[in-house]
Amino acid sequence: MIRLEKRPTPSRWWTAATPVLAVLLTMVAGGILFAALGKDPVAAIRIIFWDPLFSAQYASYSRPQLLVKSGPLILIAVGLSFGFRANIWNIGAEGQYIMGALAGAAVALAFHPMEARWLIFPLMVMAGALGGWAWAMIPAILKARFRTNEILVSLLLVYVAERFLAAMALGRMRNPDGGGFPGSRSISGYPSASNPELIAGTGMHWGVVAAFIAVIFAYVLLHRHMMGFHVRLLGQAPRAARFAGVVPGRLIILCMGLAGLLAGLAGMFEVAGPAGRISIDFGSGYGFTAIIVAFLGRLHPIGILLAGLLLGLTYIGGELAQLTLGLPAAAIQAFQGMLLFFLLGLDFLSNYRIRLNRAEAA
Amino acid sequence: MDLSSINPAVLAASLMVAATPIMLAGIGELISEKSGVLNLGVEGMMITGAVSGFAVAVMTGNPALGFIAAVFAGMALALVFGVITQVLLANHVATGLALTLFGLGLSALIGQGYVGVNPPRTAKLEIPLLADIPVLGRALFGHDLIVYLSILLIAAVWAFLKFTRAGLILRAVGENHDAAHALGYRVVRVRLMAIAFGGACAGLGGAYLSLVRVPQWTEGMTAGAGWIALALVVFAAWRPWRLLVGAYLFGGIVVLQLNLQAADVRIPVHYLAMSPYLITILVLVIISSDRSRAALNAPGSLNRTFHAAQ
């Protein structure tokens, strides 16, 4: 009979190998899904994972997109990983992302048409971070003060943020010169507020820079700093953490605040750069995909960097497959969800040993 | 602003319709949580139920077949969650989230050809005599079968948990899985069945949304109903009848909010649309701030992974 035996410590080898295995299995299962949709599975997988980077026809356009799509994913996922390690489940990053974008855009629109980049852009960065942070503080404080379930509150606040975004795009932030159409003035077209491509042809913008800084910062914090130790302790041994002097409430505020801050920044850089303006459909699901990125990266900053690039690739590949194969946009979302399933399903390999015992007499 | 256009009898009738999807999903999740499993995939199972029920109903022209398909779709998705959390021992929270993300993608994929299609009408089942009572009759007894079924389901779950041996076993598994295991109960099997029931109910609730409540298919149409159902279980303190009360209260808020939108109140539509979510959060805070209550009612082994050493 097959039996699982708990390992004393998680296997390092399997911890690193399971994400790769999960990606491969998702490709196989995704191929079956695409075949069921009547598409050539091999071609679909090649278009999603290979062509955006290496095809002669598309790569020149889609290669820079890789950083554009991965930047926000990495930035948000790094923030989330702290909470997830400590068993604090902020799943409302999408809402914090939207509120960060709204706060950043509000600053830009308030100053329009003044030209003072040295003042406006830094203020927008601060406002974006603050907007996301404040939105994350709602579930954090409710959790710390009243033990309210942070999963439900943070998620429900996403719907509130989406309604607020719609209200802003149609109301206060609507472009006065836009002929009544919904959506704000162009922020990327406003020189003092725009978040341009820094090096032509790379897709590198300030948000991507922030993502790389966040990865380094998170690595140092997690492995070289007391707070990182406390985060890991609270997640793995809550009782021991209590004795070690960890105040859970303070850590909840810190972890959720960090996640909200980074998600808000991601939103602000997005609205000033790739998205360009506030519109009703600004929320693009980065906040949810970032959850997959955080897990696929094993909640480790370097892992998240790689996972963010991979999931960013599926976004571009998905768009390409939509164009060339007519693969529905939703297919890629199902594909990403499947990836998380496989990853979690394989997780037992790192925590448990498989034992095959032939019905021995005890 | 014209508040007089709001008719209380119509309000009560539409309240019951608005409450039914979350009540169904909630009662399923209640059983699942009573067995110790927190399934955060309710939203994903609901929307998959919504789309598969809709698709089958449109294809066959028979809403009843649609509802049955939704039950099986919800159950199938729930069993994926069940195998990953119970057999492969993965984290409940993360797996539930995966279920929701996957369900949203899958449903959008299945539902592509069905946007803008009208589903076959679900027949109303007017209860003879009772439906003829003025005002009240129309409000309470002029609904379709699923509305009555959802109330019967609440009663059945209540009786199951309170009076049957199987209900006692389910609660034992949820309160302390190690003790239940030591007594010889199959913890994993019980939980898998509870998860499947939760999925079936969520699927049915989703189909009610797409076939009766709206009735249309649009991407992401559940709009957080699954999450509200999860909050409802906390509000109900894991008690079936309180779940019914909570669902109807919530349904009342939703309907009132929609009526206010229609009545041209001076609050912008989008702010009114926030209210169900904000009220849910408020209720969660009030419930959880009562320290003694919150801790007493939650099943003891909720959200803990069970792994028998031998």
Side-chain angles (χ1 to χ4, degrees):
Chain A
M1 211 194 112
I2 301 170
R3 181 163 75 75
L4 295 179
E5 187 183 276
K6 195 155 178 81
R7 293 177 195 268
T9 52
S11 152
R12 288 192 143 221
W13 194 84
W14 277 115
T15 305
T18 43
V20 178
L21 200 57
V23 170
L24 292 177
L25 277 174
T26 311
M27 283 187 189
V28 174
I32 295 170
L33 178 74
F34 299 146
L37 289 168
K39 315 284 176 202
D40 177 8
V42 179
I45 296 292
R46 203 197 65 230
I47 286 176
I48 293 173
F49 288 98
W50 182 264
D51 281 0
L53 298 180
F54 304 109
S55 121
Q57 198 181 350
Y58 306 112
S60 59
Y61 165 76
S62 50
R63 213 178 284 157
Q65 285 290 311
L66 183 64
L67 287 182
V68 172
K69 303 281 181 197
S70 308
L73 288 175
I74 295 168
L75 200 54
I76 301 171
V78 164
L80 292 178
S81 66
F82 277 87
F84 289 175
R85 272 180 189 264
N87 267 329
I88 300 161
W89 300 95
N90 171 18
I91 58 171
E94 180 76 8
Q96 294 141 24
Y97 168 83
I98 290 174
M99 293 313 270
L102 284 174
V107 169
L109 295 173
F111 278 102
H112 186 87
M114 195 173 113
E115 289 298 346
R117 186 167 174 83
W118 58 271
L119 172 71
I120 297 172
F121 195 66
L123 267 182
M124 282 169 69
V125 173
M126 274 188 265
L130 201 68
W133 175 84
W135 204 243
M137 272 305 106
I138 302 171
I141 290 172
L142 292 178
K143 167 87 174 174
R145 178 78 184 77
F146 301 111
R147 284 167 288 32
T148 311
N149 186 320
E150 80 283 13
I151 303 174
L152 292 174
V153 176
S154 63
L155 195 283
L156 287 169
L157 283 173
V158 174
Y159 293 99
V160 178
E162 282 174 351
R163 301 295 178 284
F164 189 62
L165 171 73
M168 285 295 126
L170 294 167
R172 297 294 300 269
M173 288 192 187
R174 178 153 61 184
N175 184 356
D177 309 324
F181 282 102
S184 74
R185 280 181 203 283
S186 166
I187 296 169
S188 56
Y190 169 29
S192 292
S194 72
N195 171 27
E197 199 176 21
L198 294 174
I199 307 166
T202 57
M204 189 77 148
H205 62 71
W206 283 113
V208 182
V209 176
F212 288 135
I213 294 172
V215 167
I216 297 165
F217 173 78
Y219 186 86
V220 173
L221 198 62
L222 213 51
H223 296 273
R224 296 281 179 270
H225 193 274
M226 199 61 180
M227 184 202 156
F229 173 69
H230 281 168
V231 164
R232 287 186 286 162
L233 194 60
L234 188 67
Q236 288 170 9
R239 250 176 78 79
R242 212 67 60 90
F243 289 119
V246 177
V247 185
R250 197 180 302 158
L251 216 53
I252 290 167
I253 302 270
L254 264 172
C255 287
M256 298 260 298
L258 189 68
L261 191 136
L262 293 181
L265 274 180
M268 176 265 145
F269 286 123
E270 190 73 13
V271 79
R277 63 193 190 106
I278 290 289
S279 57
I280 297 179
D281 52 1
F282 172 75
S284 46
Y286 281 139
F288 293 115
T289 310
I291 298 173
I292 305 178
V293 171
F295 279 110
L296 187 65
R298 292 270 162 215
L299 307 180
H300 187 286
I302 309 294
I304 288 171
L305 181 71
L306 298 174
L309 290 170
L310 183 76
L311 275 250
L313 185 62
T314 65
Y315 266 108
I316 316 164
E319 278 171 17
L320 206 58
Q322 223 175 311
L323 269 164
T324 54
L325 286 183
L327 197 73
I332 215 68
Q333 210 184 337
F335 192 78
Q336 292 174 346
M338 222 151 50
L339 177 60
L340 187 52
F341 266 143
F342 279 114
L343 186 74
L344 295 164
L346 290 171
D347 236 4
F348 75 96
L349 289 171
S350 46
N351 292 319
Y352 297 89
R353 225 188 286 272
I354 302 172
R355 288 277 183 227
L356 299 163
N357 50 346
R358 296 163 213 94
E360 307 159 18
Chain B
M1 179 163 136
D2 183 19
L3 286 180
S4 60
S5 65
I6 299 176
N7 176 347
V10 176
L11 197 71
S14 46
L15 173 160
M16 287 176 75
V17 172
T20 300
I22 52 169
M23 195 156 94
L24 282 166
I27 197 68
E29 179 66 16
L30 185 138
I31 284 287
S32 170
E33 288 189 19
K34 268 289 182 191
S35 81
V37 182
L38 176 70
N39 184 352
L40 290 182
V42 184
E43 178 87 2
M45 301 188 295
M46 264 185 109
I47 196 141
T48 308
V51 75
S52 24
F54 193 86
V56 170
V58 168
M59 273 192 292
T60 61
N62 184 349
L65 287 177
F67 282 116
I68 293 169
V71 164
F72 281 104
M75 211 189 280
L77 217 54
L79 281 174
V80 173
F81 170 87
V83 168
I84 294 178
T85 56
Q86 303 308 310
V87 181
L88 300 176
L89 306 169
N91 181 311
H92 292 186
V93 175
T95 313
L97 285 176
L99 193 63
T100 290
L101 295 175
F102 177 70
L104 288 171
L106 183 72
S107 63
L109 198 57
I110 300 173
Q112 280 205 318
Y114 294 98
V115 177
V117 178
N118 284 319
R121 274 183 68 83
T122 307
K124 291 247 154 91
L125 188 83
E126 299 206 342
I127 297 177
L129 295 177
L130 288 177
D132 297 333
I133 305 171
V135 189
L136 257 181
R138 249 188 78 203
L140 300 181
F141 302 108
H143 292 287
D144 49 89
L145 192 64
I146 306 288
V147 171
Y148 306 122
L149 184 75
S150 68
I151 300 170
L152 281 179
L153 208 57
I154 297 266
V157 165
W158 169 74
F160 169 78
L161 288 174
K162 200 169 166 72
F163 300 119
T164 69
R165 188 176 166 74
L168 197 61
I169 294 172
L170 181 97
R171 277 158 54 199
V173 166
E175 287 300 336
N176 188 334
H177 51 214
D178 294 317
H181 175 69
L183 285 169
Y185 297 124
R186 302 296 193 102
V187 173
V188 171
R189 191 178 301 170
V190 169
R191 285 189 170 165
L192 280 175
M193 287 194 284
I195 292 168
F197 178 78
C201 289
L204 189 63
Y208 190 78
L209 209 55
S210 63
L211 285 175
V212 183
R213 167 110 165 82
V214 176
Q216 280 274 314
W217 162 255
T218 45
E219 252 181 57
M221 67 177 301
T222 43
W227 296 100
I228 288 167
L230 278 160
L232 196 61
V233 179
V234 179
F235 167 80
W238 294 270
R239 290 189 196 132
W241 290 112
R242 271 186 69 166
L243 189 99
L244 179 125
V245 173
Y248 281 159
L249 278 177
F250 184 82
I253 294 164
V254 171
V255 170
L256 192 66
Q257 174 260 119
L258 288 174
N259 274 287
L260 286 177
Q261 284 186 19
D264 244 3
V265 183
R266 285 178 54 91
I267 309 170
V269 176
H270 297 289
Y271 292 103
L272 278 174
M274 284 177 195
S275 59
Y277 307 107
L278 290 175
I279 289 169
T280 307
I281 292 172
L282 190 72
V283 167
L284 275 177
V285 172
I286 294 169
I287 295 286
S288 55
S289 62
D290 190 345
R291 185 179 282 267
S292 52
R293 270 242 193 98
L296 266 180
N297 289 316
S301 290
L302 188 60
N303 213 359
R304 281 174 45 209
T305 301
F306 173 73
H307 176 238
Q310 286 302 313

